[in-house]
């Protein structure tokens, strides 16, 4: 009796078991292809070591456009093309200098101009400096900061396991600190680097003067975490000390650049589009291997895996290498603009922009029905140590993308070391582990496969 019941149960669940077996086998093939036959590590080697930093509007950004387009053309995709987009061009200029002026002693500290900042005068800027932890604290000081440099020194919270939450908890001082300090007559701002460890690398990043008139702009720079600790300690001993810094950065006119797009046409629903991508630009202090060279080559590798396996997608799969995520987001906005103009139907978008470390899972921007369905696929990922499926931000470049019904996702690698490198001079190719990079590409391709096979609940 028990045996008969078991056979009946297996018979009636046969379709599910067969589908499960098919998916499990496809996962094995995807991970095998990525770990034994991938091109992503060599692509990143070229982007990082042959081209280098790729700030929007730079010659290197254009070299990266041409290189990745050429590589996509070797994969046998149905279509590879460039999408024009106007992007800002900001130039750092000479290497910045800074020192603490405590009585007659001068102590050098590492700084770097924040993206979009204006320069100091040719002779630099020297003034008394006042330390604050938050913009709210700045507001309580008001006119007391007039004629002074404001030093924002709120560190990332160490106790948070999700390091991107630590970043989100203090990045406002970098982005809006100069704008807010200028309102009270400050002459400059120095911001503690967004970094969880103590080291001598200043971390750049974008800042905005908002709607301030240009006459109110003040120079702003990031200071390394070691430098911030020293400056804070020095201020406690002598609140009247001065700080000096010099930078020669400049905002230029916008220039023409491109998103790079490759396409596998869908065999059943070519009108339904799945996007996978990362951003091609990087900050100028290093080659941006983690941010976001890794995401670029992982996205390219995802379609390369499908070609290697002879997989013909049901829906159209597009790899999009976005330009200008770091200081404007113009690439993502242009892609959405063209998608709306062409009345395109995007059902899913996946972004990798959190580094090339070991993958742990995904963040999803989704309604409850689709999220519950995707959670049901976790057992397929668990043998590959992918376990974290959470609701959260998908990515900056896919954020503008809208459609009648769309699910967005962001690859979530282990982030504990990410902010050691983020926007700093040590974000270089030697910080990348080949196997971890390839595991990320395989994990992305696996999710794309499941979405392609099952669609979304519309």
């Amino acid at each position: 009796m028990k045996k008969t019941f078991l056979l009946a149960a297996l018979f009636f669940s046969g379709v599910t078991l067969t589908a499960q077996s098919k998916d499990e086998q496809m996962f094995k093939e995807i991970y095998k292809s990525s770990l034994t036959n991938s091109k992503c590590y060599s692509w990143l080697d070229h982007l990082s070591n042959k081209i280098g930093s790729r700030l929007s509007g730079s010659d290197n950004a254009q070299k990266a456009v041409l290189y990745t387009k050429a590589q996509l053309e070797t994969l046998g995709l149905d279509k590879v093309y460039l999408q024009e987009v106007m992007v800002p061009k900001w130039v750092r200029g000479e290497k910045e200098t800074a020192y603490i002026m405590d009585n007659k002693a001068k102590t050098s500290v590492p700084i770097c101009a924040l993206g979009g900042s204006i320069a100091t005068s040719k002779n630099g800027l020297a003034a008394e400096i006042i330390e604050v932890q938050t913009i709210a604290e700045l507001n309580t000081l008001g006119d007391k900061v007039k004629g002074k440099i404001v030093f924002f020194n709120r560190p990332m919270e160490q106790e948070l396991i999700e390091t991107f939450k630590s970043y989100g908890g203090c990045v406002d001082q970098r982005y809006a600190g100069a704008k807010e300090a200028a309102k009270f007559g400050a002459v400059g701002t120095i911001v503690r680097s967004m970094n969880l460890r103590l080291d001598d690398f200043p971390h750049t990043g974008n800042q905005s003067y908002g709607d301030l008139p240009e006459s109110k702009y003040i120079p702003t720079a990031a200071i390394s975490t070691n430098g911030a600790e020293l400056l804070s300690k020095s201020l406690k001993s002598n609140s009247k000390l001065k700080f000096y810094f010099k930078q020669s950065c400049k905002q230029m006119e916008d220039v023409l650049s491109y998103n790079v797009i490759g396409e596998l046409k869908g065999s059943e629903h070519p009108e339904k589009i799945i996007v996978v991508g990362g951003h091609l630009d990087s900050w100028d202090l290093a080659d941006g291997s983690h941010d976001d060279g890794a995401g670029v080559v992982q996205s390219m590798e995802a379609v390369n895996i499908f070609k290697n396996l002879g997989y013909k997608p049901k829906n159209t799969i597009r790899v999009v290498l976005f330009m200008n995520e770091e200081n404007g987001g113009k690439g993502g906005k242009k892609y959405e603009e063209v998608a709306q103009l062409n009345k395109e139907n995007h059902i899913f978008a996946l972004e990798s922009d959190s580094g090339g470390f070991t993958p742990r899972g995904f963040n999803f921007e989704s309604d409850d029905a689709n999220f519950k369905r995707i959670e049901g696929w976790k057992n397929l990922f668990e043998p590959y140590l992918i376990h974290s499926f959470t609701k959260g931000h998908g990515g900056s470049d896919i954020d503008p993308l809208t459609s009648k019904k769309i699910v967005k996702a962001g690859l979530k690698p282990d982030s504990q070391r990410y902010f050691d490198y983020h926007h700093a001079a040590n974000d270089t190719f030697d910080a990348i582990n080949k196997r971890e990079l390839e595991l990320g590409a395989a994990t992305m391709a696996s999710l794309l496969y499941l979405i392609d096979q099952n669609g979304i609940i519309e």
Side-chain angles (χ1 to χ4, degrees), residues 255-387:
V255 299
L256 177 64
S257 190
Y258 305 89
N259 293 327
V260 183
I261 302 174
E263 188 171 290
L264 283 173
K265 191 173 182 179
S267 58
E268 295 181 19
H269 303 289
E271 77 286 357
K272 293 183 177 181
I273 301 168
I274 293 171
V275 162
V276 57
H279 66 84
L280 197 50
D281 60 306
S282 74
W283 282 108
D284 57 322
L285 297 179
D287 56 62
S289 288
H290 276 296
D291 186 20
D292 185 31
V296 164
V297 299
Q298 286 173 331
S299 300
M300 294 168 66
E301 186 58 45
V303 293
N304 185 43
I305 289 169
F306 291 149
K307 290 299 294 184
N308 286 340
L309 298 180
Y311 177 71
K312 299 187 184 305
K314 294 180 179 181
N315 307 281
T316 294
I317 296 179
R318 248 183 222 165
V319 53
V320 184
L321 312 181
F322 297 93
M323 183 57 71
N324 186 232
E325 186 273 346
E326 293 293 4
N327 61 336
K330 295 292 184 68
K333 293 170 186 173
K334 173 56 73 171
Y335 183 83
E336 162 65 0
E337 178 187 319
V338 174
Q340 287 298 313
L341 187 66
N342 294 333
K343 295 181 169 53
E344 293 178 338
N345 178 21
H346 289 78
I347 62 169
F348 183 72
L350 171 60
E351 183 167 345
S352 173
D353 186 19
S354 299
F357 299 101
T358 302
R360 300 296 188 203
F362 301 94
N363 286 327
F364 292 95
E365 294 180 43
S366 168
D367 60 11
D368 291 340
N370 276 293
F371 183 66
K372 184 176 180 180
R373 183 194 213 183
I374 291 167
E375 276 192 308
W377 300 336
K378 282 180 71 172
N379 63 307
L380 290 165
F381 287 93
E382 285 171 354
Y384 304 93
L385 306 181
I386 307 302
H387 61 275

Side-chain angles (χ1 to χ4, degrees), residues 181-201:
K183 292 176 182 178
F184 298 110
V187 294
T189 58
I190 297 295
V191 183
R192 183 189 182 100
S193 287
M194 309 290 110
N195 184 3
L196 282 159
R197 70 177 183 181
L198 294 175
D199 63 24
D200 294 317
F201 292 103

Side-chain angles (χ1 to χ4, degrees), residues 61-72:
Q62 179 62 12
K63 289 177 183 177
V65 164
L66 298 176
Y67 172 72
T68 51
K69 178 178 183 285
Q71 294 307 304
L72 286 173

